[in-house]
């Protein structure tokens, strides 16, 4: 055995291979001898070197661990098992080398964890307790390590009966004279803390915190910073998982950690861990931390002091990439976290108390730099407070753009650029001209790093403002951009090209004027900049060209194929080539530009995209052994692995670009549909990245469209079987993913895809099993949604005085509202396409929830969505909806007067379709419904932009009642009233429905005279309506900026009511009918000549022209005969 161990450590490959074979042979031939022999080698302290014994211990561990795939324990004879257990404890007691003692503890823990459960090693626990009292610190450490390892494997329950003795062991060990034992006790205490379940147990262990803090301080006093960092990492883990654990001793913790942070004699790594601890606690429990006197100011001051450690290094001037290993760079992230955690109310007063001194300190450029940078860093976290002081802040920072020191100028420009992002579009709209002037002026700065940052300011401005801010300065900006493109500094040129991209996208068609100036240069870069040093520049040129292509497609189209072919010639020679990230996104944009002309390129770009989308993320083990060993059973530690961020980002980007291809080439993508579906459906549950789930969740309707386009163009697979198989496969993937989706934004996308697919196929497309699955999952999702909504409402009441918190909660509510909208859409599509299978399930699973949503105490949007659900039940279920009428007709009538215009609109629309489709079942409710509808139309502000949609739906409902519930209406009284409501001005669909009813009444002799009124008194009104419709006057004027302030709903939602002539298109069938009616009115004997002449004389000239033109058209069509 000794020879085999020596051979395994040999540098000779043949020797090492032979020994590996011998070891494998021993496992099969005589496992008893192998295990006992390895343990004997570990115990042989006299004849064998430490490295050999350590290797023996490393090999032994997986062989006796029952949970290991390599375990031989069950193959050992009983006497061998007994020998190993006894000798293992003896070796632990005899061992004097720390790293071997540590490895032996792991061996004992791995074996003991399983044997303790079955009672096969009763000697173990007494032995560990004995070791904890040993005079040898290695024994005490081994005891602590082994107990925590076993507890980590089996949970604290295994020790629950002896938890008090263990607590006492930990308490004494945390005060042990040996610092190694104290650190081990600290680690063990953390393990047990994470496993405790009972509050009284946690409370008992909280008493250990002062000792834990003293342990850390003792390590630092003895210069053992590695051990101290281990202790701080324990605190970080506790802060992440159980931040309230620190509350009883929080002041002591803050005092201890701030002492570490401010101690410049300590290593930066130690100080940073202490800072991370305070930051993490601030993020996890900000209110708890804010209760500590002066803590927020203290933490802010600490981060600002670290910001001031910025160095005036030469590399910065040379555009070197900044590394995150300096305290100043780390302070930037830390200050952002502080602002995000505590918000503007807590941060801004403290920050602004420092700013005047910082920004005006003439003797220290670092202070001016820190002041400007601090404002930009805190902008997002302090948004709601700082947004009230934008001009004041801008005036603070502007003078620093001319500071003598380049880094201060850079920081000031950075602050202005960040404000463009954080306060879009308000800041840019108010100060855009001045910002552009500053950026152009300082783009001539002698420091090229500062000049480049001026372009970054312009990039931010372009990306976060309207183009009208940029257009007046376009000549000046692009003239300077053209000059800077000639710079020999390639890093500067890269920024210039990015700036050019942003300007093109912002200015859109206005960029056509400059196309011939810049595009040839960009194409030249693409063709000729092929050296390694130019890879970033070439990638940015690709990006810029394709963004220009999106901005002005028609102008770019003639160059598109040449650019595409040049990109395809890109040579990628290494995995870290930056061009990789640019190429695929650029391909996606080229596909958007070329549309179906991109189809020939698909075979060239799809293999790479599919390969990247199919990758399984690499993992790294985040639980490395402290002594650097790599155990053979690492495969069993999947729970400790972390996903490589770059890999999953790459995967998400590939999924997105595949969707872009499919969306724009339609039937050309058909050959890839099945492969993409099989790739995407499993990844709808890809837990490591929401971008992957978003892309895959959005893909089904796009893939369905590709198949439909292919069927339409080729006629192949016209029976629809392929389409249905594809859809049903994707449906099951979507609904299963939605049921487990943790991110509400992704959930809304997934549910939206289900509804879109059903509509795109536009016929029954699911099996009865699919429908049942949908309804069951929808009921669960609706229950979960209600739970989240209740929690949000509770939080809003709790934080009603906190503007920042309310804004965050309102944003969350908007995401939740999207989920509810899409969920209700799915259910509406069920009744539309699968009423037979759906309605029995609806009654069981959904109806009770929907009825509860209609109760008055529910929020307006919840009531509105429930009404919409019942509206669609009537519209698509028709007579099948009659059994449910009693559940919703009362609320529907009641909510015609709801404070929310959205709820009112859903209610009045529902009344109209009930009248249309439910026949006699709805008849008893007609008088009440008409009274409520008229009240809705006649309210004082019924035709305001806020209410107009609701009002026009109410008018349409009145006409539907008159048409479909005719026997319940006094038409002589009702007709003049509803005529006075016409024409409609916003809702095109309801307008055409109303005009259809009007035409129907005029076309029928029985109702013609009722509409015209006694002695044709209503004729002027009828012709005025027709004149307004035909002349295009029946629209609202365009919205102006002053309207915006009046359109916001009290709940923070907006309704788009802007209409135009194009939007209010008159149905051609209705138009033709109006023409024929007008012709009929001119026939002798239909209308008295005097009445007709008098009416005509009272019409406006525009109405006369429109009516005459329509009569002429109708006459010509009649003369031409049927087409």
């Amino acid at each position: 055995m000794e020879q085999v161990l020596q051979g395994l450590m040999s540098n000779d490959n043949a020797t090492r291979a032979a020994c590996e074979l011998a070891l494998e042979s021993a496992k099969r031939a005589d496992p008893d001898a192998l295990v006992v022999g390895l343990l004997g080698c570990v115990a042989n302290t006299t004849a064998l070197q430490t490295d050999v014994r350590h290797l023996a211990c490393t090999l032994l561990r997986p062989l006796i661990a029952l949970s290991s795939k390599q375990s031989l324990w069950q193959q050992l004879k009983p006497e061998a098992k007994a020998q190993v257990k006894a000798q293992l404890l003896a070796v632990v007691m005899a061992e004097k080398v720390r790293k071997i003692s540590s490895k032996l503890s792991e061996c004992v823990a791995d074996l003991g964890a399983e044997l303790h459960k079955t009672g096969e090693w009763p000697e173990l626990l007494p032995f560990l307790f004995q070791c904890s009292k040993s005079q040898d610190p290695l024994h005490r450490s081994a005891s602590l390590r082994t107990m925590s390892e076993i507890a980590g494997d089996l949970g604290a329950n295994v020790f629950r009966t002896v938890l008090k003795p263990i607590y006492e062991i930990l308490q004494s060990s945390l005060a042990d004279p040996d610092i190694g034992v104290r650190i081990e006790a600290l680690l063990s205490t953390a393990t047990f803390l994470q496993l405790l379940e009972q509050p009284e147990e946690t409370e008992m262990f909280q008493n250990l915190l002062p000792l834990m803090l003293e342990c850390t301080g003792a390590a630092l006093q003895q210069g053992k910073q590695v051990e101290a960092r281990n202790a701080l990492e324990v605190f970080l883990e506790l802060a992440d998982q159980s931040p309230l654990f620190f509350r009883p001793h929080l002041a002591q913790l803050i005092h201890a950690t701030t002492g570490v942070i401010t101690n410049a004699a300590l290593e930066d790594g130690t100080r940073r861990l202490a800072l991370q601890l305070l930051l993490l606690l601030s993020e996890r429990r900000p209110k708890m931390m804010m209760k500590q006197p002066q803590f927020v100011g203290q933490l802010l001051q600490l981060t600002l002091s670290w910001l001031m450690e910025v160095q005036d290094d030469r590399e910065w001037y040379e555009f070197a990439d900044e590394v995150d290993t300096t305290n100043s760079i780390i302070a930037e992230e830390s200050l952002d976290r502080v602002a995000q955690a505590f918000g503007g109310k807590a941060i801004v007063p403290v920050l602004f108390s420092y700013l005047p001194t910082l920004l005006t300190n003439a003797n220290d450029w670092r202070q001016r730099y820190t002041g400007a940078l601090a404002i930009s860093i805190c902008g997002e976290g302090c948004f709601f407070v700082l947004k009230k002081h934008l001009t004041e802040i801008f005036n603070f920072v502007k003078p620093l753009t001319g500071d003598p020191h380049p880094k201060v100028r850079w920081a000031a420009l950075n602050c202005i650029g960040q404000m463009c992002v954080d306060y879009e579009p308000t800041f840019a709209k108010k100060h855009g001209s001045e910002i552009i002037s500053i950026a152009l002026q300082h783009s001539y700065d002698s420091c090229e790093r500062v000049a480049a940052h001026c372009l970054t300011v312009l990039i931010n401005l372009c990306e976060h403002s309207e183009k009208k801010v940029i257009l007046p300065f376009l000549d000046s900006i692009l003239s300077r951009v053209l000059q800077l493109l000639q710079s020999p500094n390639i890093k500067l040129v890269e920024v210039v090209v990015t700036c050019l991209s942003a300007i093109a996208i912002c200015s859109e068609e206005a960029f056509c004027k400059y196309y011939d100036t810049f595009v040839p240069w960009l194409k030249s870069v693409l063709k000729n900049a092929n050296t390694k040093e130019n890879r970033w520049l070439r990638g940015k040129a690709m990006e810029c060209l394709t963004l220009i292509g999106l901005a002005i497609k028609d102008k770019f189209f003639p160059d598109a194929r040449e650019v595409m072919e040049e990109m395809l010639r890109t040579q990628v020679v290494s995995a870290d080539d930056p061009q990789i990230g640019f190429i695929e996104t650029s391909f996606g944009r080229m596909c958007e530009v070329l549309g179906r002309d991109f189809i020939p390129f698909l075979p060239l770009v799809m293999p790479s995209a599919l390969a990247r989308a199919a990758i399984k993320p690499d993992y790294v083990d985040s639980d490395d052994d402290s002594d650097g060993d790599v155990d053979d059973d690492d495969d069993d530690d999947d729970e400790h692995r972390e996903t490589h961020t770059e890999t999953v980002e790459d995967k998400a980007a590939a999924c997105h670009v595949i969707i872009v291809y499919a969306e724009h080439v339609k039937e050309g993508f058909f050959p890839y549909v099945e492969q993409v579906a099989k790739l995407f459906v499993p990844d709808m549950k890809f837990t490591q990245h929401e971008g992957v789930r978003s892309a895959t969740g959005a893909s089904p309707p796009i893939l369905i469209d590709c198949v439909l386009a292919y069927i339409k163009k080729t006629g192949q697979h016209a029976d629809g079987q392929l389409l249905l198989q594809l859809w049903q496969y994707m449906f099951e993937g979507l609904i299963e993913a939605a049921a487990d989706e943790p991110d509400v934004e992704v959930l809304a996308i997934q549910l939206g895809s289900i509804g879109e697919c059903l509509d795109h196929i536009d016929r029954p497309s699911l099996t009865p099993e699919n429908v049942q699955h949908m309804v069951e999952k929808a009921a669960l999702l609706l229950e979960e949604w209600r739970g989240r909504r209740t929690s949000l409402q509770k939080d809003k009441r709790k934080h009603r005085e906190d503007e920042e918190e309310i804004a965050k909660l309102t944003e969350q509510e908007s995401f939740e509202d999207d989920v509810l909208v899409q969920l209700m859409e799915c259910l509406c599509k069920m009744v539309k396409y699968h009423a037979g299978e759906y309605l029995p399930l609806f009654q069981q699973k959904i109806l009770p929830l929907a009825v509860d949503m209609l109760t008055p105490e529910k929020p307006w949007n919840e009531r509105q969505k429930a009404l919409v659900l019942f509206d669609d039940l009537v519209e698509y279920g028709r007579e099948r909806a009659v059994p449910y009428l009693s559940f919703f007709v009362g609320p529907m009538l009641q909510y015609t007067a709801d404070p929310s215009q959205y709820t009112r609109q859903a209610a009045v629309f529902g009344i109209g379709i009930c009248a249309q489709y439910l026949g006699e079942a709805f008849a008893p409710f007609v008088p009440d419904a008409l009274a409520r509808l008229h009240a809705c139309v006649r309210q004082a502000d019924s035709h305001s932009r806020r209410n107009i949609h609701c009002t026009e739906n109410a008018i349409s409902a009145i006409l539907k009642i008159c048409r479909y519930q005719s026997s319940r209406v006094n038409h002589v009284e009702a007709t003049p009233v509803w005529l006075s409501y016409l024409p409609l001005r916003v809702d095109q669909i309801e307008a055409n429905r109303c005009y259809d009813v009007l035409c129907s009444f005029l076309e029928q002799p029985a109702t013609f005279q009722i509409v015209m009124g006694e002695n044709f008194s209503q004729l002027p009104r009828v012709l005025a309506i027709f004149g307004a419709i035909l002349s295009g006057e029946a629209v609202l004027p365009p919205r102006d900026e002053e309207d915006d302030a009046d359109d916001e709903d009290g709940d923070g939602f907006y309704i788009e009511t802007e209409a135009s002539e194009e939007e209010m298109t008159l149905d051609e069938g209705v138009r033709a009918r109006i023409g024929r009616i007008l012709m009929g009115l001119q026939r002798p004997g239909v209308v008295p000549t005097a009445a007709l002449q008098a009416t005509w004389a009272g019409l406006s000239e525009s109405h006369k022209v429109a009516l005459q033109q329509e009569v002429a058209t109708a006459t010509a069509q009649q003369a031409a005969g049927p087409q």
Side-chain angles (χ1 to χ4, degrees):
M1 182 57 67
E2 294 173 7
Q3 290 176 348
V4 170
L5 292 172
Q6 295 285 0
L8 288 172
M9 299 176 66
S10 171
N11 292 327
D12 180 70
N13 290 338
T15 302
R16 195 165 58 252
C19 290
E20 289 171 354
L21 286 174
L23 190 64
E24 290 301 316
S25 177
K27 290 180 183 179
R28 293 188 296 272
D30 195 349
D32 288 11
L34 176 60
V35 171
V36 172
L38 285 170
L39 187 52
C41 289
V42 177
N44 191 351
T45 59
T46 55
L48 295 180
Q49 294 179 347
T50 298
D51 288 345
V52 177
R53 294 197 302 119
H54 188 266
L55 176 59
C57 196
T58 301
L59 294 172
L60 176 66
R61 182 183 177 189
L63 299 182
I64 62 173
L66 276 80
S67 59
S68 170
K69 295 176 182 178
Q70 302 177 46
S71 178
L72 299 177
W73 184 258
Q74 300 296 2
Q75 301 176 38
L76 300 184
K77 297 173 183 176
E79 54 270 24
K81 291 181 179 179
Q83 182 180 352
V84 169
K85 289 189 290 184
Q87 189 174 359
L88 196 55
L89 299 184
V91 172
V92 169
M93 290 298 291
E95 186 55 56
K96 301 299 182 184
V97 178
R98 181 174 290 277
K99 73 173 184 175
I100 297 179
S101 176
S102 176
K103 188 63 66 176
L104 281 168
S105 298
E106 294 169 1
C107 291
V108 173
D110 287 346
L111 180 59
E114 296 299 323
L115 298 185
H116 187 82
K117 287 192 296 186
T118 59
E120 296 179 62
W121 203 355
E123 305 88 356
L124 178 59
L125 204 55
F127 170 78
L128 294 177
F129 284 1
Q130 178 188 349
C131 282
S132 70
K133 300 174 183 177
S134 170
Q135 295 299 310
D136 191 331
L138 279 182
H139 296 163
R140 299 197 296 276
S141 293
S143 170
L144 293 164
R145 190 181 306 113
T146 305
M147 284 191 291
S148 64
E149 289 263 359
I150 294 174
D153 287 340
L154 300 182
N157 282 331
V158 71
F159 290 125
R160 181 142 280 118
T161 57
V162 290
L163 199 57
K164 180 67 173 175
I166 288 178
Y167 168 81
E168 292 170 353
I169 290 171
L170 293 171
Q171 187 178 41
S172 62
S173 298
L174 285 167
D176 196 279
D178 185 273
I179 190 61
V181 175
R182 297 177 75 177
I183 295 295
E184 200 64 61
L186 185 61
L187 298 171
S188 299
T189 303
T191 299
F192 279 96
L193 280 169
Q194 293 165 30
L195 299 172
L196 298 178
E197 297 175 356
Q198 305 301 324
E200 59 272 17
E201 295 171 350
T202 303
E203 186 176 347
M204 176 174 68
F205 272 70
Q206 277 180 321
N207 296 324
L208 298 177
L209 183 57
L211 287 172
M212 297 167 77
L213 291 170
E214 289 173 14
C215 171
T216 309
L220 290 172
Q221 288 174 2
Q222 295 185 29
K224 296 183 179 294
Q225 291 200 47
V226 173
E227 288 80 358
R229 286 195 288 273
N230 288 339
L232 288 168
E233 286 169 354
V234 168
F235 289 136
L236 278 167
E237 194 167 352
L238 283 171
D240 188 32
Q241 297 185 10
S242 307
L244 293 177
F245 175 78
F246 295 94
R247 185 159 56 185
H249 306 284
L250 196 53
Q252 185 178 350
L253 174 75
I254 292 171
H255 176 75
T257 48
T258 52
V260 174
I261 295 167
T262 55
N263 188 347
L266 297 175
E267 295 174 15
D268 284 340
T270 306
R271 299 170 66 199
R272 291 169 190 170
L273 281 173
L275 178 60
Q276 291 302 312
L277 177 57
L278 292 183
L279 291 171
L280 189 56
L281 285 170
S282 299
E283 290 168 332
R284 292 291 185 270
R285 288 291 183 273
K287 290 191 175 180
M288 178 181 79
M289 301 303 288
M290 288 171 68
K291 290 178 182 177
Q292 294 298 308
Q294 310 301 317
F295 173 73
V296 174
Q298 192 177 11
L299 186 57
L300 187 62
Q301 191 172 28
L302 285 171
T303 53
L304 291 175
S305 67
W306 276 28
L307 268 181
M308 280 187 274
E309 292 184 23
V310 60
Q311 300 299 311
D312 197 11
D313 49 326
R314 185 182 64 186
E315 290 79 8
W316 183 85
Y317 292 91
E318 296 173 353
F319 286 81
D321 293 332
E322 291 183 293
V323 293
D324 59 358
T325 55
T326 66
N327 285 345
S328 179
I329 297 299
I330 287 171
E332 292 182 27
E333 179 197 351
S334 301
L335 184 55
D336 178 54
R337 292 171 66 183
V338 171
Q340 296 279 2
F342 297 121
K345 282 188 176 180
I347 294 297
V348 170
V350 183
L351 178 62
F352 271 61
S353 69
Y354 296 140
L355 282 180
T357 302
L358 292 171
L359 295 174
T360 59
N361 190 309
N363 299 319
D364 188 351
W365 68 267
R366 289 176 175 82
Q367 293 203 27
R368 301 193 300 277
Y369 167 89
T370 297
L373 200 59
I375 296 172
S376 61
I377 292 170
C378 292
E380 184 181 0
C382 303
F383 174 84
F384 289 98
V385 175
L386 290 181
K387 73 175 182 178
K388 302 170 186 175
H389 305 283
L390 294 183
T391 299
E392 179 185 354
I393 295 169
F394 188 43
N395 290 333
F396 258 151
V397 174
K398 271 191 301 184
L400 297 180
T401 60
D403 193 271
H405 199 283
K407 281 206 168 182
V408 178
R409 300 197 296 274
W410 179 92
L413 289 164
N414 185 75
C415 181
I416 293 170
Q418 190 60 44
M419 289 174 72
C420 292
V421 176
D422 291 338
Y423 307 102
E424 63 164 329
T426 306
F427 183 65
K429 186 182 290 186
K430 190 170 185 179
H431 298 289
S433 299
E434 199 169 358
I435 294 168
I436 293 171
S437 298
I438 289 171
L440 286 175
Q441 175 188 347
H442 294 288
S443 69
Y444 294 90
D445 197 290
S446 57
C447 173
E448 288 188 327
R449 189 71 182 258
V450 175
H453 218 59
C454 292
L455 300 178
T456 302
V457 172
L458 292 175
I459 292 168
N460 290 349
L461 187 68
C462 289
E463 291 179 348
H464 299 278
S465 66
E466 300 172 358
K467 67 179 180 180
K468 64 183 180 182
V469 175
I470 302 295
L471 291 182
F473 300 90
L474 209 51
D475 282 342
S476 300
I477 294 172
L478 289 175
S479 174
R480 182 58 181 149
V481 165
L482 184 61
Q483 293 172 3
L484 290 171
L485 283 177
Q486 316 308 315
S487 170
N489 187 329
I490 192 169
K491 292 287 188 181
L492 175 59
V493 175
E494 288 169 5
V495 180
V496 177
V497 174
T498 303
C499 182
L500 185 61
S501 300
I503 293 167
I505 287 293
C506 182
S507 58
E508 297 177 324
E509 69 281 350
F511 193 79
C512 288
K513 174 182 175 182
Y514 312 96
Y515 184 91
D516 293 330
T517 300
F518 293 102
V519 169
W521 185 89
L522 292 165
K523 287 162 60 178
S524 174
V525 170
L526 199 58
K527 290 179 181 178
N528 303 316
N530 296 313
T531 63
K532 183 177 180 179
E533 293 74 20
N534 285 318
R535 292 184 305 181
W536 272 103
L537 178 59
R538 192 171 184 277
K540 287 182 177 290
M542 289 182 209
E543 179 182 61
C544 188
L545 281 165
T546 53
L547 286 170
I548 290 171
L550 284 183
I552 43 177
K553 290 183 181 180
D554 292 342
K555 180 74 173 175
F556 180 72
F557 196 84
D559 289 312
R561 183 171 292 272
E562 178 189 357
V563 170
M564 184 67 195
E565 290 172 350
E566 197 61 50
M567 289 195 296
L568 286 168
R569 283 193 280 270
T570 300
Q571 298 293 317
V572 176
V573 296
S574 63
D576 63 347
D577 190 332
Q579 293 179 100
I580 295 172
F582 289 105
I583 290 171
E584 205 149 79
T585 53
S586 296
F587 284 163
R589 287 190 286 269
M590 290 300 297
C591 183
E592 292 184 59
V593 172
L594 290 169
R596 286 176 168 86
D597 289 333
F598 191 81
I599 292 174
F601 296 109
L602 282 179
L604 302 175
V605 301
M606 279 298 292
S608 170
L610 287 168
R612 292 173 63 214
I615 55 177
K616 301 300 180 186
D618 296 329
Y619 293 93
V620 291
D621 194 340
S622 64
D623 193 29
D624 296 336
D625 288 348
S626 59
D627 57 9
D629 293 325
V630 179
D631 291 342
D632 294 335
D633 57 342
D634 283 346
D635 290 341
D636 298 329
D637 297 330
D638 290 345
E639 67 273 19
H640 299 303
R641 294 177 174 190
E642 298 174 344
T643 307
H644 276 310
T645 302
E646 290 184 6
T647 303
V648 294
E649 292 286 353
D650 200 43
K651 181 182 178 76
C655 292
H656 174 75
V657 81
I658 288 172
I659 291 176
V660 172
Y661 295 154
E663 186 175 9
H664 290 87
V665 303
K666 300 297 184 187
E667 69 276 0
F669 197 79
F670 179 79
Y672 305 97
V673 166
E674 183 178 357
Q675 183 180 1
V676 170
K678 289 180 177 178
L679 177 63
F680 277 12
V681 167
D683 279 343
M684 290 175 183
K685 286 184 157 185
F686 186 80
T687 57
Q688 293 94 331
H689 199 283
E690 63 273 9
V692 174
R693 302 197 305 278
S694 296
T696 55
S699 66
I702 297 170
L703 297 179
I704 291 290
D705 282 349
C706 293
V707 176
L708 289 169
Y710 180 81
I711 293 171
K712 182 178 180 180
K713 183 170 183 178
T714 67
Q716 298 182 37
H717 303 290
D719 62 0
Q721 290 306 303
L722 175 69
L723 178 67
L724 294 183
Q725 289 172 9
L726 172 70
W727 163 226
Q728 289 163 14
Y729 169 67
M730 294 192 296
F731 168 81
E732 286 298 329
L734 273 172
I735 196 63
E736 285 294 337
D740 297 330
E741 179 53 54
D743 187 296
V744 292
E745 293 181 75
V746 177
L747 176 58
I749 291 170
Q750 293 166 339
L751 294 171
S753 283
I754 293 174
E756 286 183 54
C757 287
L758 289 165
D759 263 347
H760 290 195
I761 297 172
D762 199 27
R763 61 187 176 91
S765 57
L766 297 175
T767 66
E769 293 76 18
N770 293 149
V771 174
Q772 181 175 356
H773 201 185
M774 175 74 230
V775 177
E776 289 172 350
K777 295 296 185 184
L780 291 173
L781 288 169
L782 191 53
E783 287 280 20
E784 291 171 2
W785 181 90
R786 283 151 57 94
R788 295 195 301 270
R789 181 59 173 236
T790 300
S791 178
L792 281 171
Q793 290 173 329
K794 181 180 178 181
D795 287 345
K796 287 187 82 170
R797 289 192 295 271
K798 181 180 177 181
H799 300 287
R800 57 184 176 271
E801 302 298 327
D802 189 336
E803 183 183 8
E804 291 174 276
E805 192 63 30
I806 289 294
K808 293 175 185 176
L809 293 170
T810 301
E811 183 180 32
Q812 290 178 38
E813 277 190 323
S814 70
F815 295 145
E816 292 290 357
D817 196 59
D818 288 341
V819 171
L820 185 60
V821 168
Q822 299 304 335
L823 183 56
M824 291 297 164
E825 280 294 312
C826 288
L827 294 174
C828 292
K829 299 301 183 293
M830 288 292 106
V831 71
K832 182 176 181 181
Y833 297 111
H834 296 279
E837 300 93 340
Y838 169 69
L839 287 176
L841 296 166
F842 166 80
Q843 185 166 345
Q844 298 170 25
K845 301 285 186 180
I846 306 298
L847 182 60
L849 298 172
V851 169
D852 183 64
M853 290 170 66
L854 284 174
T855 53
E857 63 270 14
K858 292 294 187 293
W860 70 264
N861 59 330
E862 199 167 333
R863 289 180 277 115
Q864 185 250 357
K865 300 304 182 301
L867 284 172
V868 169
L869 182 66
F870 285 113
D871 290 350
D872 285 334
L873 181 67
V874 174
E875 185 170 8
Y876 299 115
R878 303 196 178 186
E879 67 279 356
R880 293 178 177 179
V882 170
Y884 309 106
L885 181 61
S886 61
F887 291 101
F888 62 83
V889 69
M892 188 174 283
L893 292 167
Q894 176 186 352
Y895 294 144
T896 56
D898 194 83
S900 164
Q901 69 269 33
Y902 308 109
T903 307
R904 293 199 307 275
Q905 183 174 335
V908 300
F909 176 82
I911 289 171
I913 56 174
C914 283
Q916 182 174 353
Y917 294 121
L918 299 188
E920 283 301 310
F922 186 71
F925 304 100
V926 165
D928 190 16
L930 278 173
R932 291 174 184 271
L933 290 170
H934 284 299
C936 181
V937 175
R938 290 168 177 168
Q939 66 178 10
D941 60 345
S942 64
H943 283 76
S944 66
R945 287 188 178 275
R946 178 187 179 91
N947 294 316
I948 186 66
H949 275 283
C950 172
T951 300
E952 294 196 344
N953 273 264
I955 295 169
S956 180
I958 291 169
L959 269 75
K960 287 172 185 171
I961 290 176
C962 291
R963 181 174 188 174
Y964 298 106
Q965 300 285 336
S966 182
S967 64
R968 298 282 178 155
V969 177
N970 183 333
H971 290 284
V972 174
E973 295 180 358
T975 302
V977 177
W978 60 254
L979 278 174
S980 71
Y981 296 157
L982 299 180
L984 304 192
R985 298 179 178 275
V986 171
D987 195 320
Q988 175 178 302
I989 294 174
E990 297 305 324
N992 280 307
R993 287 171 176 166
C994 288
Y995 306 150
D996 172 61
V997 175
L998 174 59
C999 289
S1000 296
F1001 283 174
L1002 289 170
E1003 288 164 345
Q1004 299 170 24
T1007 52
F1008 175 82
Q1009 199 59 52
I1010 294 175
V1011 175
M1012 286 300 174
E1014 186 177 356
N1015 297 321
F1016 290 90
S1017 59
Q1018 290 295 129
L1019 178 61
R1021 184 63 198 156
V1022 171
L1023 291 185
I1025 292 168
F1026 284 161
I1029 295 168
L1030 296 170
S1031 66
E1033 293 177 9
V1035 294
L1036 282 176
R1039 178 198 301 269
D1040 58 41
E1041 292 184 8
E1042 293 181 1
D1043 293 321
D1044 293 340
D1046 299 325
D1047 286 341
E1048 187 174 357
D1049 183 84
D1051 293 280
F1053 292 84
Y1054 292 80
I1055 184 167
E1056 286 297 331
T1057 59
E1058 183 175 336
S1060 67
E1061 291 184 34
E1062 290 73 24
E1063 290 171 326
M1064 288 296 290
T1065 303
L1066 183 62
D1067 180 84
E1068 287 303 315
V1070 172
R1071 179 184 292 276
R1073 292 166 70 190
I1074 292 173
R1076 291 193 292 271
I1077 290 168
L1078 292 171
M1079 285 177 59
L1081 293 177
Q1082 297 180 33
R1083 293 193 187 102
V1086 176
V1087 180
T1089 303
L1092 197 57
Q1093 289 176 345
T1095 299
W1096 186 261
L1099 295 174
S1100 69
E1101 287 303 315
S1102 61
H1103 287 187
K1104 290 178 182 179
V1105 171
L1107 293 170
Q1108 287 172 333
Q1109 288 176 345
E1110 198 57 46
V1111 169
T1113 300
T1115 303
Q1117 289 175 346
Q1118 186 181 58
Q1123 298 297 316

